[in-house]
Structure formats: C-alpha cells, structure tokens
Amino acid sequence: MLNKDHPRYKSLLYREKIVKAHDAGILADSGMIAHGRGETFDYLIGEKTTPNAKNTIDIAACYFLVAENPVISVNGNTTALVADEIAELSKLLNIPIEINLYYRTDERVLNISRVYEDLGITNLLGTNDDEFIDTPDLNGPRSPVSIDGINKADLIFIPLEDGDRAEKLTINNNKNTICVDLNPLSRTAQTSTVSIVDNIVRVIPELIDSIKKHQNMSKDELNDKIKSFSNEENLSNSINDIIKRFK
Amino acid sequence: MLNKDHPRYKSLLYREKIVKAHDAGILADSGMIAHGRGETFDYLIGEKTTPNAKNTIDIAACYFLVAENPVISVNGNTTALVADEIAELSKLLNIPIEINLYYRTDERVLNISRVYEDLGITNLLGTNDDEFIDTPDLNGPRSPVSIDGINKADLIFIPLEDGDRAEKLTINNNKNTICVDLNPLSRTAQTSTVSIVDNIVRVIPELIDSIKKHQNMSKDELNDKIKSFSNEENLSNSINDIIKRFK
C-alpha cells in the first residue's frame, strides 16, 4: 500500500497504475519506458499545471466547442492513467473514442476496448481492422485510422502521440490537433495546433471543467479566444517554465 | 531488427536491452520506468558526453587509483545496460562487484549474479543475505550492505543509485562515493562526492580508458587532480549544459 503522506505519493500512484496496465496487457513494454520519460518532464515543470498550461487547456476547450466532428484518440498510456476521465469527456461532448495504438495487437485492442465498454462507452472506434484507412503521406504502423473517426474528423485530440503522426495529421492532412505532451521540444508539441504541456492526469479533469465553463459562450466568442492564441508563444512559455526550474 | 540508420538507433538499442533484462527477471518494473526518466535527461544533454562530464570521469579515475578498498555497487539497470563493461572495470582494478538492489528478491539476485559469473567475475558480493549488515543511519530496503563490500569500502561506485542511500553513505558514513546520474538536480547527484552527469553506457568505457591513462601517475599527482575538482562546480556546469539545450 502506498503511503499518502509520501512526498511523491501521486507520482507513485500513477506509476502503480502504469505497472497494473502493463500486467493487464493494456500497455506495451515501451509504454512503461515512455511513462518514465514523462515523469522527468513533469518533475521539471514542478508537477503542477502552470498558468500557461491552464490557458492552453481553455483554448483546447474552445476548439472542442466549435468543432463539427471531434474525436478522441487513445492509446495504452492514456487508458492506463485516465480512462475514467476520457470516458467522461466523450460523454460530455457526445464524441467518439478511437483506439489507435503504436504497437497494435488484437489482444491489446481487446483489453483496451473492454476498459471503455465497462465505462459505458458505445461510440468506440478502431476496434476492427476493417474500418481502417491509411492516412495520406503517413507510412508505417501509425498510418491506419478509423474511417468514421480520425479520417473524418476536423479536430483530433491526440494525448501522448508520436511526432511523425502528429505532424502528418496536422500539416499534411490539415486537421486541427490538440496534443498533451510534457516535452515542449518534441515534434508532437512543435507541430500540433494546440500543445498542452502538462501531465495528462491533471489535464483531462481541468479540460472537462473548462468545457463546462465555456459551453454557453457563442461561437463568435469562442473563435475570438482561439484567434488570440499563439501555440508558438505557448511553447516558448513552457520552455521558459522549465528553464526557471533549473535556475 | 533495429535499423542502424535510424537517428535514434543507439537509444532504441539500449531500450531493447532494458526490455530483454526485464523479461529475463533482471530488472524490476520500476527499472523500466526509471530507464525512461534517464532517456529524457540524456535527450536534454544531447545524448553525448560533454567536456564537463569527460573531466568528471577523469577525476573519478583518479579516485579509483588512490582508493584502498573500492567497490562497485550494481543494480538491475546497470546490469541490463553495461554488465560487460562493469566486469571489465572490476578485472582492471581487481575490485569486487556488490549486487545491491532496491527491490531485492532471491530470484533477481540469482539472475544478476549469473550474468557476472558468466563474465568470469569471482569476487562477487551481496549474493547471500548472511553477509549483510545495516548501514548506520539508513533505514528501509537500501540499508543492508555487504560486510566485505560497501561496509568496508573507502570508495563506492554507485551508478544509478537512489538519493536516500547516496546521501547516507556519503554524508553520514563518510564514504567517498562516485555516482552516475543523468539528473544533476537529484539528491544522488547533489550529495555524492563525485557526480558523473552522463549516460552510463558512455561513462563506463570512458572511465576504463581514463583509468588506463592515469594508472602510471604518482599518488601525489592523482591527489592534486582530485583536490582541484569541485563537485559543486561540476553540477553547476551540468545544469548550464541542459539550459543551453532549451535555448
């Protein structure tokens, strides 16, 4: 049992979730290592949502509220850490969840789909190889996307996504993308439309709150907020927040 | 099979070693996550040995050459990544290797000891619970050390060590410690006598070369080099090298 008084209690709790998901066949080996990479960046930003990240989450909320066909893309790490909150987000907006894995195996897809089915999600895409189509200009294992999901979407939420895919979806396929990535220097962060530099475990609850707060605004107001945002400035702020930590 | 032309070939190769060691019962789950944390820091220092780290490795070589009873402490991650080189270092200096694990189980000790035995190491400590004694002022799973190893040693090489242990060995037990830690802000790096801020896969071969280069120097010359070194300055340089990367 973890001791709640431990100064790193939360970090150890998330680590426990990751290990459990690995044991349950939800997470690939590489997902455990990826979690460690994230731990370092979270440590560098002080393990809290910065004011800059909070603002970026608000912009993401606006994007969700003006989009016509948003979709949430999930992988093993996202599922391990925040499946409950992802399900809540999907229900709040009435939008689909697409299972889209780097190391796709039938077993992992099945294990992940069970998690969301148990949470009452019926609009679950990416569970069947037949519903896939290749993303233009994207080769390799990350190319296939669901015809009714990412392929059709105008806005794709890609937490914890790899850089090649983020770049091709955003730049070559002209999709709006919102990533969650603790590394402001990563290709994913550098090429997404909106890059939330924060830990996904804090981001999703904050995003749900922000959507509720913004959902009565007019499209014009939401679009004005979106226009006022610069992702370049956001990333530059995020980098400065890390530099401060070293000083 | 990994493609040697991949820009991150080496990083992927080490990751493969880590996954294999996990499968072989050498590495605990937490060791996989710890490897990921290291990957981020290595990425931040540019995945190369900086001139400052090179100088620190030379100082470590001098410490090894003036010490009376040095010992090498190894864990799962060190074994997964550089068992061959650790064995070479042990033979070059004719000093023992002590297996000292955070998550100690008989099975992991056995699996790790086999690795070193297969590499021809006979002076292997920490394989038998009977040879342990508690470190003064250190509680918990990291307290036990080998009576003939760390307990007796005047110099302990502690690559990839946890902070509590590094602090107690160095400060409360007056041992000279040399750590390898990619995080210059960690308690391990902050409290060790000499903190090599670099990836262990580059450090051990470089350290072996440096020992060979320094081994004909007199004790006076070696001690002069040691006196000229400031670990505080070393850590400050290491931090600045990371800040440069963000700028």
Side-chain angles (χ1 to χ4, degrees), chain B residues 13-28:
Chain B
L13 187 74
Y14 306 142
R15 201 178 292 175
E16 207 169 72
K17 284 188 176 195
I18 286 290
V19 171
K20 272 187 198 158
H22 183 257
D23 291 344
I26 285 169
L27 207 64

Side-chain angles (χ1 to χ4, degrees), chain B residues 103-123:
Chain B
Y103 296 104
R104 185 178 177 88
T105 66
D106 289 345
E107 198 199 337
R108 286 186 65 220
V109 171
L110 188 70
N111 291 332
I112 291 174
S113 64
R114 275 191 191 138
V115 171
Y116 292 105
E117 281 161 10
D118 287 351
L119 290 165
I121 298 298
T122 50
N123 200 351

Side-chain angles (χ1 to χ4, degrees), chain A residues 166-223:
Chain A
E167 181 178 356
K168 293 297 189 300
L169 287 174
T170 317
I171 294 172
N172 303 47
N173 291 273
N174 279 314
K175 306 276 193 186
N176 282 329
T177 51
I178 299 170
C179 75
V180 179
D181 195 320
L182 278 157
N183 176 8
L185 302 172
S186 76
R187 193 144 52 109
T188 300
Q190 295 284 331
T191 58
S192 293
T193 314
V194 177
S195 306
I196 303 171
V197 181
D198 195 11
N199 191 327
I200 191 167
V201 300
R202 296 186 297 270
V203 169
I204 312 295
E206 189 75 43
L207 179 62
I208 289 169
D209 282 354
S210 183
I211 288 169
K212 287 178 182 168
K213 237 172 21 202
H214 286 85
Q215 64 189 354
N216 293 323
M217 277 192 184
S218 71
K219 290 242 167 181
D220 281 353
E221 283 175 293
L222 294 167
N223 278 318

Side-chain angles (χ1 to χ4, degrees), chain B residues 2 111 212:
Chain B
L2 286 176
N111 291 332
K212 288 178 182 167

Side-chain angles (χ1 to χ4, degrees), chain A:
Chain A
M1 278 293 289
L2 286 176
N3 175 2
K4 282 201 173 187
D5 296 329
H6 192 288
R8 303 191 56 75
Y9 169 71
K10 281 191 180 172
S11 177
L12 296 175
L13 187 74
Y14 306 143
R15 201 180 290 173
E16 208 170 71
K17 283 189 176 194
I18 286 291
V19 171
K20 271 187 199 157
H22 183 257
D23 290 344
I26 286 170
L27 208 65
D29 290 336
S30 61
M32 294 245 270
I33 298 173
H35 182 76
R37 287 198 296 279
E39 279 191 356
T40 292
F41 279 109
D42 200 21
Y43 162 89
L44 293 180
I45 65 169
E47 292 173 330
K48 59 181 189 331
T49 301
T50 62
N52 176 65
K54 172 77 184 67
N55 179 58
T56 310
I57 291 169
D58 285 340
I59 297 302
C62 297
Y63 265 96
F64 269 115
L65 291 167
V66 299
E68 286 182 17
N69 288 305
V71 64
I72 303 168
S73 178
V74 296
N75 62 11
N77 289 65
T78 300
T79 304
L81 293 170
V82 286
D84 290 13
E85 295 83 352
I86 288 286
E88 192 183 337
L89 180 65
S90 160
K91 289 174 191 171
L92 174 67
L93 293 165
N94 194 22
I95 61 174
I97 294 173
E98 173 169 338
I99 300 173
N100 204 305
L101 311 178
Y102 200 101
Y103 295 104
R104 185 177 178 88
T105 66
D106 289 346
E107 199 199 336
R108 284 186 65 222
V109 171
L110 188 69
N111 291 331
I112 291 174
S113 64
R114 275 191 190 138
V115 170
Y116 291 104
E117 281 160 10
D118 288 350
L119 290 165
I121 298 297
T122 49
N123 200 352
L124 193 60
L125 304 170
T127 55
N128 186 334
D129 288 356
D130 292 345
E131 49 162 308
F132 280 117
I133 189 171
D134 276 332
T135 304
D137 298 317
L138 178 60
N139 301 316
R142 294 316 300 278
S143 179
V145 292
S146 165
I147 293 172
D148 291 326
I150 292 175
N151 176 62
K152 189 179 84 172
D154 57 341
L155 174 68
I156 314 164
F157 186 48
I158 42 168
L160 318 184
E161 187 53 83
D162 86 290
D164 204 28
R165 191 149 181 264
E167 181 178 356
K168 293 297 189 300
L169 287 174
T170 317
I171 294 172
N172 303 47
N173 291 273
N174 279 314
K175 306 276 193 186
N176 282 329
T177 51
I178 299 170
C179 75
V180 179
D181 195 320
L182 278 157
N183 176 8
L185 302 172
S186 76
R187 193 144 52 109
T188 300
Q190 295 284 331
T191 58
S192 293
T193 314
V194 177
S195 306
I196 303 171
V197 181
D198 195 11
N199 191 327
I200 191 167
V201 300
R202 296 186 297 270
V203 169
I204 312 295
E206 189 75 43
L207 179 62
I208 289 169
D209 282 354
S210 183
I211 288 169
K212 287 178 182 168
K213 237 172 21 202
H214 286 85
Q215 64 189 354
N216 293 323
M217 277 192 184
S218 71
K219 290 242 167 181
D220 281 353
E221 283 175 293
L222 294 167
N223 278 318
D224 282 349
K225 280 185 82 93
I226 287 171
K227 273 180 208 142
S228 73
F229 174 79
S230 155
N231 203 41
E232 209 174 326
E233 202 180 305
N234 159 41
L235 290 171
S236 161
N237 291 339
S238 303
I239 290 167
N240 283 327
D241 284 335
I242 294 178
I243 291 176
K244 268 186 229 153
R245 168 92 175 151
F246 278 104
K247 277 182 173 166

